[in-house]
Amino acid sequence: MALKLGLVGIGKIARDQHIPAIAADPRFELVATASRNASVDGVAAFTSVEALLAAVPELDAISICTPPQAHFQAALAALRAGKHVMLEKPPAATTREIALLQEEAARHGRTLFQTWHSRFAPAVSAARDWVHKSTLTGGAIRWKEDVHKWHPGQQWLWDAGGLGVFDPGINALSILTEVLSAEACVHKAALDFPENQQAPVAARLDLRTEAGVSIDADFDFRHKGEEAWDIELFSTTARARLSRGGSALEIDGRLVVDRPAMEGEYPGLYARFAELCAAGRSEVDWRPFQLVADAFLIGERRTVAAHQV
Ligand code: NAP
């Protein structure tokens, strides 16, 4: 029997990716939505998670697609009502919130799937295999996009807790933490805050692995033209380049994987969610979020020109 699912926060990613992925997966049935201003044709609509949980007690699970500032209350209410929960990235507004949600899921014997969609990109597992066979000597992340193209009108990105350029940048960190065979920490960081906003428009991170290998990350929302979503990793014998957000992989200039951007990511997420619910397990890995939090903790701050959303 299909899991009866509620979808929370009907915005861009819900419409672009979640709704088509749910419709294509027979293990889920979308029975209701919770969104203050939006709904999905033919699906029961509520304006809050609490109203949805009260009105549809037969619900098995909810999938939360709101910005991170709204995750905690929604997820907590759903877990306490005995529902499985799938969370969009970034996982929450604070590190403590995600830790508490993990504990709450365990207490209620429910699944918490805290997702990183970029880890499901087609070339990531091949990159991981390459890294695990290599001796890494360095790396460089370039994650640059035009915020006006990808996030038009999204003021929540710029409010406190919205993460600014780390909202896409955390995707790179989710791939990095997935492929590395050693843990990485933020050694140094520099963050550029527009004078009229609460979140950075650009950031540079010097990450170091346990073995002392340095990986530079350069995140920028002021980029014009074609986006750069690239991770380069260097070993003692070769150089790997993951590009287009993890859709393509080159080793020493030879294309090993080359697939359309985002292909299979959300179907992969829902397949994993179904497996986790069936197995009664949770999956939570907040290391990418810790790296971002640490960049805020130790990063040098620079005030830059105002940014108009
Ligand atoms: P969005 O278009 O702004 O949609 C989010 C929806 O959440 C809003 O339309 C809003 O619907 C609801 N919401 C609830 N509380 C909110 C609050 N405090 N502030 C603003 N909206 C609130 O954003 P999105 O692009 O779909 O991104 C949502 C999440 O998905 C983010 O965490 C993002 O990192 C992640 N994501 C986005 C993309 C992408 O390409 N856009 C890709 C992957 C992941 P109501 O007003 O109807 O409540």
Side-chain angles (χ1 to χ4, degrees), residues 23-309:
D25 192 327
R27 290 166 293 189
F28 293 98
E29 180 192 357
L30 180 59
V31 298
T33 62
S35 208
R36 299 162 308 180
N37 303 293
S39 59
V40 175
D41 284 351
V43 179
F46 302 90
T47 53
S48 72
V49 176
E50 290 75 13
L52 173 127
L53 292 170
V56 193
E58 68 275 23
L59 205 70
D60 296 301
I62 69 165
S63 178
I64 300 177
C65 316
T66 62
Q69 298 100 317
H71 283 190
F72 183 64
Q73 288 305 334
L76 196 63
L79 290 169
R80 288 185 173 166
K83 313 304 176 192
H84 304 298
V85 172
M86 173 163 146
L87 271 185
E88 251 302 349
K89 49 66 59 170
T94 68
T95 58
R96 191 74 191 122
E97 284 181 351
I98 186 63
L100 288 178
L101 289 179
Q102 189 172 16
E103 288 171 16
E104 198 70 15
R107 188 171 300 128
H108 293 277
R110 287 295 175 269
T111 292
L112 175 63
F113 180 30
Q114 180 251 298
T115 66
W116 297 112
H117 67 88
S118 293
R119 288 184 175 177
F120 287 74
V124 170
S125 62
R128 186 174 189 277
D129 292 345
W130 179 84
V131 170
H132 282 245
K133 285 185 294 197
S134 306
T135 304
L136 221 57
T137 56
I141 297 172
R142 283 179 79 245
W143 220 261
K144 301 182 175 195
E145 64 188 50
D146 180 350
V147 68
H148 290 116
K149 173 178 172 186
W150 290 97
H151 303 277
Q154 293 186 339
Q155 179 59 46
W156 59 262
L157 268 179
W158 300 102
D159 295 337
L163 299 191
V165 75
F166 286 113
D167 181 79
I170 203 168
N171 294 335
L173 299 174
S174 76
I175 294 176
L176 186 75
T177 46
E178 173 73 6
V179 303
L180 286 185
S181 49
E183 295 299 325
C185 296
V186 180
H187 181 64
K188 282 186 182 164
L191 282 59
D192 293 348
F193 284 75
E195 61 185 15
N196 60 338
Q197 304 291 355
Q198 297 295 323
V201 68
R204 290 158 305 283
L205 270 51
D206 174 2
L207 300 157
R208 297 279 168 92
T209 70
E210 295 162 288
V213 173
S214 177
I215 298 164
D216 296 326
D218 191 356
F219 303 135
D220 207 327
F221 254 163
R222 297 163 300 193
H223 187 70
K224 296 293 171 216
E226 193 168 339
E227 37 287 332
W229 292 319
D230 303 329
I231 300 176
E232 284 191 290
L233 294 167
F234 319 119
S235 80
T236 44
T237 55
R239 164 186 292 243
R241 183 166 183 269
L242 258 177
S243 56
R244 301 205 312 275
S247 304
L249 176 67
E250 284 168 43
I251 311 276
D252 281 340
R254 189 174 56 87
L255 208 49
V256 181
V257 181
D258 185 14
R259 305 286 284 277
M262 294 197 85
E263 188 186 72
E265 291 184 20
Y266 280 79
L269 288 179
Y270 277 95
R272 176 74 61 84
F273 188 37
E275 287 163 18
L276 290 170
C277 292
R281 290 193 296 112
S282 287
E283 191 172 295
V284 177
D285 176 8
W286 42 294
R287 289 174 299 162
F289 192 47
Q290 284 178 307
L291 293 174
V292 171
D294 288 351
F296 276 93
L297 278 173
I298 67 163
E300 290 178 6
R301 288 166 184 245
R302 218 165 52 135
T303 302
V304 296
H307 174 80
Q308 305 313 325
V309 180

